[in-house]
Amino acid sequence: MYAKAYVEITNRCNMRCSFCHGHSRAPRRMTEGEFSHVLDQLSGQTQYVYYHLMGEPLTHPDLPRFLRMAADKGFRSVITTNGTLLDKRGEELLASPIHKVSVSLHSFEEGSEADFDRYLNGVMAFAERASAQGVIVVLRLWNRGYDGGRNEAIFDRLRADLSGEWVENTRGIRIHDKLHLEWGERFDWPDGELPFQGDEVTCYGLLDQFGILVDGAVVPCCLDSEGALTLGNIFRESLSDILASPRARRMAEGFRQHRATEELCRRCPYVRRFS
């Protein structure tokens, strides 16, 4: 069983963040029928559904319905969001069965101070309410070296307004049992135009995770924004057959041996985090 599956319910986003690779695929949303089919195919493969690869999941009008469908079928749902729509859709989210919400605070790195202040107030209000209800909330700052000095001000605001133990650990800070602050270096997405990184890699693709793009394409990891390593299509083939295909098995065995079998993986800077 895999630790998680990334399901791109939409590839549309309401922002154009400087750190995001973006994609050139046609804009699309999964229908309820398609999502139901995906959940059926995921049965026995994982217990955790992550609602993103590209796109902002809170832009999907059927997100609350999808969360209930997933819960009814025994899955735990994890949302990663830029947080800009929490003021409009936070109540719907909190009324839905959800396990964890990660908010990428670095998504707003280029906004004005006034806009960012309103944004941060909304995120903190949601974080407090969600964590009080038992939802795990992670506030992310994955932009070290590109924050323009704003991270220190963000940290001061969070420290002043969010009460808790504030215990530092290897990934960031545990504010309290259900609320965390997490930081990391900004990274480049895998791209065929990037420099060769080498054959020796450590990656969790197809070992504990895989992704499903909005059109049903199955990919080995959450960073394949263009579907360059598409292994098959879940709307035309069974997921079990796709994951057991010779190419998928070859990739997984390579990763077990810390070896890249695909050119895109040899040009992925993110895997250096695990080396």
Side-chain angles (χ1 to χ4, degrees), residues 198-203 207 252-260 274-275:
D199 291 316
E200 186 176 345
V201 304
T202 298
C203 182
L207 299 183
E253 184 57 32
F255 290 144
R256 287 190 188 95
Q257 300 175 16
H258 304 285
R259 177 173 51 85
F274 309 122
S275 300

Side-chain angles (χ1 to χ4, degrees), residues 122-179:
V123 169
M124 288 191 294
F126 173 84
E128 287 189 313
R129 286 203 59 194
S131 59
Q133 288 186 198
V135 177
I136 299 170
V137 180
V138 178
L139 306 177
R140 289 178 172 178
L141 287 170
W142 286 8
N143 62 342
R144 277 181 172 171
Y146 291 84
D147 66 290
R150 181 176 262 176
N151 279 5
E152 186 174 349
I154 293 173
F155 179 86
D156 290 342
R157 280 286 312 281
L158 297 175
R159 186 70 179 86
D161 293 351
L162 296 175
S163 59
E165 299 95 352
W166 284 81
V167 177
E168 190 166 346
N169 54 47
T170 56
R171 300 192 67 180
I173 289 175
R174 177 182 179 272
I175 300 174
H176 58 70
D177 182 46
K178 297 295 183 181
L179 181 57

Side-chain angles (χ1 to χ4, degrees), residues 52-261:
H52 74 284
L53 276 88
M54 291 281 101
E56 167 54 54
L58 268 67
T59 65
H60 199 303
D62 295 329
L63 177 59
R65 170 67 178 150
F66 285 8
L67 294 171
R68 289 191 293 273
M69 290 167 60
D72 288 344
K73 295 187 178 185
F75 295 99
R76 292 189 176 186
S77 293
V78 179
I79 297 288
T80 296
T81 174
N82 58 41
T84 58
L85 298 176
L86 287 174
D87 59 336
K88 296 180 180 178
R89 306 206 67 188
E91 292 301 317
E92 289 181 277
L93 212 53
L94 293 177
S96 306
I98 190 163
H99 176 67
K100 177 180 175 182
V101 178
S102 294
V103 184
S104 300
L105 297 179
H106 48 279
S107 300
F108 222 94
E109 60 189 8
E110 297 177 353
S112 70
E113 289 301 323
D115 288 342
F116 185 78
D117 190 60
R118 286 191 292 271
Y119 162 79
L120 196 56
N121 285 336
V123 169
M124 288 191 294
F126 173 84
E128 287 189 313
R129 286 203 59 194
S131 59
Q133 288 186 198
V135 177
I136 299 170
V137 180
V138 178
L139 306 177
R140 289 178 172 178
L141 287 170
W142 286 8
N143 62 342
R144 277 181 172 171
Y146 291 84
D147 66 290
R150 181 176 262 176
N151 279 5
E152 186 174 349
I154 293 173
F155 179 86
D156 290 342
R157 280 286 312 281
L158 297 175
R159 186 70 179 86
D161 293 351
L162 296 175
S163 59
E165 299 95 352
W166 284 81
V167 177
E168 190 166 346
N169 54 47
T170 56
R171 300 192 67 180
I173 289 175
R174 177 182 179 272
I175 300 174
H176 58 70
D177 182 46
K178 297 295 183 181
L179 181 57
H180 304 262
L181 174 62
E182 188 179 275
W183 53 66
E185 305 296 327
R186 180 163 167 168
F187 64 90
D188 290 321
W189 295 61
D191 191 294
E193 302 300 317
L194 290 176
F196 179 70
Q197 300 284 323
D199 291 316
E200 186 176 345
V201 304
T202 298
C203 182
Y204 298 107
L206 293 175
L207 299 183
D208 84 340
Q209 63 168 268
F210 59 89
I212 301 170
L213 299 181
V214 69
D215 65 352
V218 178
V219 293
C221 81
C222 63
L223 295 179
D224 189 358
S225 61
E226 295 286 5
L229 300 179
T230 295
L231 302 169
N233 193 293
I234 199 171
F235 297 144
R236 297 192 292 270
E237 310 157 69
S238 79
L239 180 60
S240 296
D241 287 347
I242 294 170
L243 296 175
S245 66
R247 187 183 186 190
R249 291 201 309 269
R250 186 168 58 249
M251 291 180 67
E253 184 57 32
F255 290 144
R256 287 190 188 95
Q257 300 175 16
H258 304 285
R259 177 173 51 85
T261 62

